[in-house]
């Protein structure tokens, strides 16, 4: 599928070059842009080229191409609307001025789906999410990663994502208050994913729209569902608790993650829970070690 998209992009460029009548045609349809498709703009390397050291080196050099100027040109040239924009191959520490301008254009031209991931080899980045992201009120899907959450004092008062239904946070450096700030501005959010959080996860869910929450590869202290009338799935995958001790074999044991379920009448799937790590409380009922099973599919109204 990726190769088909790249070929289509190359064909469009060749057609625009050969025929002046086609040069502006791409502007008449909603923009779909992924910077990964701009990394390699030449013909695909032949198998014999990839077998040689020279071919491998040429392919490696091509894959390190700085595509920021091409992204800037495409965003500036297209009048909008922007249906889908994926920025995941740009080292944002080297292009902080450009990415702020990109987000201004994305906000002005009605971007709907945005993947905005910093291409970096460091987890502890100094690059903050530009405040202009919070002007993208047309977003319905947003994934951001390997960035630092902005100082909320610098964000516009009208910051909101009134149409956002899907949100993914990957290795985003943020605090509990930042997460609450973000929740308050996503009034119709249905799906939330937290992946490889750089900090301790303390999540409080109070939402009339959320249907699925998934936390993966993170250290989780507590997840509290206060009131979530539409929540159907609360999922954990390779999460770890806090505390714990080192046993005789050098393994860390007795880590704890507290999971508290208040009002969630439509919750059907809860897992994967580990008896030695997760402490589950549903209403006034505490399910202790030995009573928790690895995957739950239970009618929550029984509690």
């Amino acid at each position: 599928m990726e190769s088909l998209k790249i070929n289509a992009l190359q064909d469009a460029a060749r057609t625009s070059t050969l025929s002046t009548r086609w040069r502006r045609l791409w502007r008449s349809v909603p923009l779909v842009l992924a910077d990964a498709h701009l990394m390699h703009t030449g013909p695909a390397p032949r198998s014999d080229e990839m077998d040689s050291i020279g071919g491998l080196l040429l392919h490696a050099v091509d894959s390190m191409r700085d595509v920021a100027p091409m992204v800037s040109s495409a965003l500036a040239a297209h009048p909008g609307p922007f249906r889908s924009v994926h920025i995941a191959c740009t080292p944002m520490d080297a292009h902080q001025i450009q990415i702020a301008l990109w987000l201004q254009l994305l906000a002005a031209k009605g971007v709907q789906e945005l993947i905005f991931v910093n291409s970096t080899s460091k987890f502890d980045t100094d690059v903050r999410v530009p405040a202009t992201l919070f002007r993208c009120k047309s977003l319905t899907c947003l994934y951001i990663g390997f960035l630092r959450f902005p100082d909320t004092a610098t964000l516009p008062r009208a910051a909101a994502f009134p149409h956002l239904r899907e949100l993914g946070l990957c290795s985003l450096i943020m605090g509990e208050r930042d997460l609450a700030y973000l929740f308050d501005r996503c009034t119709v959010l249905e799906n939330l994913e937290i992946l490889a959080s750089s900090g301790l996860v303390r999540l409080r869910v109070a939402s009339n729209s959320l249907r699925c929450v998934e936390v993966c590869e993170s250290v989780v202290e507590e997840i509290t569902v206060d009131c979530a009338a539409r929540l159907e799935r609360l999922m954990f995958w390779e999460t770890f608790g806090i505390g714990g001790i080192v046993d005789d074999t050098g393994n860390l044991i007795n880590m704890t993650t507290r999971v508290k379920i208040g009002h969630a009448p439509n919750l059907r799937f809860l897992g994967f829970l580990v008896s030695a790590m997760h402490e589950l409380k549903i209403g006034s009922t505490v399910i202790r070690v030995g009573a928790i099973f690895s995957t739950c599919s239970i009618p929550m109204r029984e509690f």
Side-chain angles (χ1 to χ4, degrees), residues 8-275:
L9 185 63
Q10 294 170 355
D11 290 342
R14 294 189 189 104
T15 303
S16 298
T17 301
L18 293 173
S19 174
T20 56
R21 293 185 303 169
W22 290 81
R23 288 183 179 176
R24 293 180 176 84
L25 184 60
W26 73 284
R27 301 180 185 178
S28 65
V29 296
L31 180 68
V32 176
L33 175 67
D35 63 350
H37 297 163
L38 303 173
M39 296 296 290
H40 181 77
T41 55
R46 301 191 307 270
S47 58
D48 59 331
E49 291 177 334
M50 293 303 291
D51 289 338
S52 67
I53 295 178
L56 288 171
L57 288 175
L58 287 173
H59 187 65
V61 169
D62 187 73
S63 67
M64 293 187 292
R65 176 179 300 165
D66 185 355
V67 298
M70 289 184 280
V71 173
S72 295
S73 297
L75 295 181
H78 199 287
F82 291 172
R83 187 175 71 187
S84 176
V85 176
H86 295 192
I87 307 296
C89 298
T90 300
M92 295 185 180
D93 54 340
H95 297 285
Q96 295 191 51
I97 295 177
Q98 288 97 319
I99 62 174
L101 293 175
W102 294 350
L103 288 169
Q104 287 183 11
L105 291 171
L106 293 170
K109 298 179 182 181
V111 64
Q112 296 178 12
E113 175 185 307
L114 177 61
I115 294 179
F116 196 70
V117 178
N118 183 19
S119 177
T120 179
S121 59
K122 302 186 302 180
F123 284 95
D124 188 19
T125 180
D126 293 326
V127 182
R128 291 188 179 274
V129 177
T132 44
L133 173 66
F134 290 82
R135 299 178 185 173
C136 298
K137 297 182 181 297
S138 55
L139 280 170
T140 60
C141 176
L142 172 64
Y143 280 78
I144 47 180
F146 296 95
L147 291 163
R148 186 179 293 271
F149 199 80
D151 181 356
T152 55
T154 67
L155 298 178
R157 291 184 178 180
F161 297 115
H163 305 291
L164 191 67
R165 298 186 180 279
E166 184 174 347
L167 175 63
L169 309 174
C170 176
S171 294
L172 194 67
I173 301 175
M174 64 189 310
E176 184 178 358
R177 292 183 179 179
D178 297 330
L179 193 56
Y181 177 93
L182 194 54
F183 271 174
D184 288 343
R185 282 148 183 83
C186 303
T187 54
V188 297
L189 189 66
E190 295 182 357
N191 299 304
L192 170 67
E193 181 177 358
I194 299 176
L195 173 63
S197 174
S198 60
L200 192 64
V201 175
R202 300 184 187 92
L203 178 62
R204 182 175 296 276
V205 178
S207 168
N208 292 322
S209 60
L210 267 176
R211 299 179 62 183
C212 178
V213 176
E214 185 174 358
V215 183
C216 308
E217 298 180 3
S218 302
V219 179
V220 182
E221 178 180 3
E222 183 173 291
I223 295 180
T224 301
V225 179
D226 283 337
C227 182
R230 298 187 64 194
L231 187 65
E232 299 172 1
R233 295 172 179 264
L234 181 57
M235 306 296 292
F236 313 96
W237 184 255
E238 294 188 2
T239 60
F240 303 91
I242 62 171
I245 59 175
V246 178
D247 63 13
D248 296 336
T249 62
N251 296 319
L252 188 62
I253 61 173
N254 295 334
M255 294 181 291
T256 301
T257 293
R258 293 186 297 274
V259 181
K260 300 179 181 179
I261 310 296
H263 181 68
N266 288 303
L267 187 60
R268 290 293 178 270
F269 295 93
L270 178 62
F272 297 88
L273 299 177
V274 180
S275 61

